[in-house]
Amino acid sequence: MKIQVVENVQKVNDEVAAENRAELRARGVASVNLMGSPGCGKTAWLERTLEVLTAEMGVGVITGDLTTTRDAERIEDFTPHVVQINTGRGCHLEAHQVRQGLQRLDLDALDLLVIENVGNLICPVSWDLGQDRKVGMFSVTEGDDKPAKHPYVVLAADLILLNKIDLLPHVRFSRERFQEDVRAIRGDMDVLDVSATEGTGMDTWIDWLRTLAPATGTGQVVGAKTTD
Ligand SMILES: Nc1nc2c(ncn2[C@@H]2O[C@H](COP(=O)(O)OP(=O)(O)O)[C@@H](O)[C@H]2O)c(=O)[nH]1
Ligand SMILES: [Mg+2]
């Protein structure tokens, strides 16, 4: 009986995620679900991204956090299109919460929506939100063994960002080992070294986002996946 309940919850989530996906497609908004540990630098990387990207396209952010509005307050300095979702004790965002977020955003003003998931490498992975792409973020301060220990985020992601690369000289971290472990899980996975504080990797990241969400304002989402 318990298993049945869990299955139903997941099924309802997938149905709502499909609605989110359909609505975002219909409104011409590409979407990215950004997942990573607490403190890996998701918000910092988004701040830096918005600094560049808002000059050429409409970018909205839905940010998930247990109890505070601090990330939304940070993002608000860069775009008015931001919604904070508080999950309470929930360790991940679910599609119905994103649905509520979408209802509070002016989708016609957006070309791209980035969803900053709750800081966690496990729970967010299995919950479809209706996004076009999933991005997994690690940082060098977490240690080079994290992809091996959290393979599911690597399996689910379309791109892996390795943040805080500026701190590489100061921490015990083997980029080779990190890369090898990622490739052992997903041979085709791209890993992009980035630094939110230095701006490293920003050009490549912005190009990746541009391909996903060309700033046409005409509702074209290029290469959007039809399924999650
Ligand atoms: N040195 C360095 N610190 C960073 C970088 N990115 C984020 N941080 C710091 O890491 C901490 C957590 O960042 P935050 O964006 O709040 O992480 P989040 O919890 O993943 O959203 C903050 O003190 C940031 O200033 C980076 O690229 N390099
Ligand atoms: Mg954050």
Side-chain angles (χ1 to χ4, degrees):
M1 198 57 187
K2 218 173 188 177
I3 291 170
Q4 186 61 33
V5 170
V6 172
E7 277 180 354
N8 285 345
V9 169
Q10 194 90 46
K11 190 165 171 279
V12 169
N13 183 80
D14 289 351
E15 285 166 9
V16 178
E19 284 172 27
N20 291 348
R21 185 168 285 114
E23 169 147 36
L24 287 166
R25 293 279 163 75
R27 307 290 279 273
V29 183
S31 55
V32 172
N33 178 359
L34 178 60
M35 301 175 286
S37 299
C40 69
K42 298 179 293 303
T43 310
W45 184 243
L46 277 183
E47 289 174 296
R48 202 80 194 229
T49 303
L50 290 164
E51 233 168 42
V52 179
L53 212 52
T54 52
E56 61 182 88
M57 63 171 80
V59 190
V61 176
I62 293 177
T63 181
D65 190 21
L66 304 189
T67 56
T68 78
T69 55
R70 291 189 187 189
D71 284 356
E73 287 161 26
R74 286 166 63 184
I75 297 291
E76 229 169 17
D77 288 344
F78 302 90
T79 177
H81 308 292
V82 57
V83 175
Q84 178 80 55
I85 307 278
N86 283 143
T87 58
R89 288 177 188 272
C91 58
H92 58 273
L93 283 173
E94 295 185 16
H96 71 91
Q97 295 165 323
V98 170
R99 181 115 207 99
Q100 287 166 13
L102 295 183
Q103 284 161 1
R104 285 156 58 193
L105 286 169
D106 177 9
L107 296 182
D108 290 332
L110 303 185
D111 299 290
L112 175 70
L113 172 71
V114 183
I115 304 163
E116 179 185 346
N117 219 311
V118 177
N120 189 312
L121 281 175
I122 305 161
C123 313
V125 175
S126 36
W127 293 83
D128 184 14
L129 303 179
Q131 72 288 310
D132 293 314
R133 297 285 189 273
K134 289 180 179 172
V135 174
M137 176 178 273
F138 294 94
S139 61
V140 300
T141 49
E142 294 163 46
D144 52 26
D145 60 351
K146 291 304 170 291
K149 290 174 110 173
H150 296 281
Y152 300 113
V153 70
V154 179
L155 281 170
D158 296 287
L159 174 68
I160 294 291
L161 301 177
L162 175 59
N163 192 31
K164 308 194 187 182
I165 206 74
D166 57 294
L167 296 179
L168 198 56
H170 309 289
V171 290
R172 192 185 289 245
F173 183 98
S174 162
R175 268 174 75 221
E176 290 66 36
R177 191 167 161 214
F178 180 91
Q179 292 264 10
E180 270 169 29
D181 283 348
V182 168
R183 296 263 152 78
I185 298 161
R186 277 273 303 275
D188 61 337
M189 180 59 72
D190 287 323
V191 177
L192 180 61
D193 292 350
V194 301
S195 164
T197 51
E198 308 283 320
T200 313
M202 185 52 74
D203 290 350
T204 309
W205 165 245
I206 293 288
D207 281 347
W208 190 84
L209 291 174
R210 276 192 193 120
T211 308
L212 186 63
T216 59
T218 57
Q220 281 296 107
V221 179
V222 170
K225 287 180 174 176
T226 49
T227 55
D228 184 48

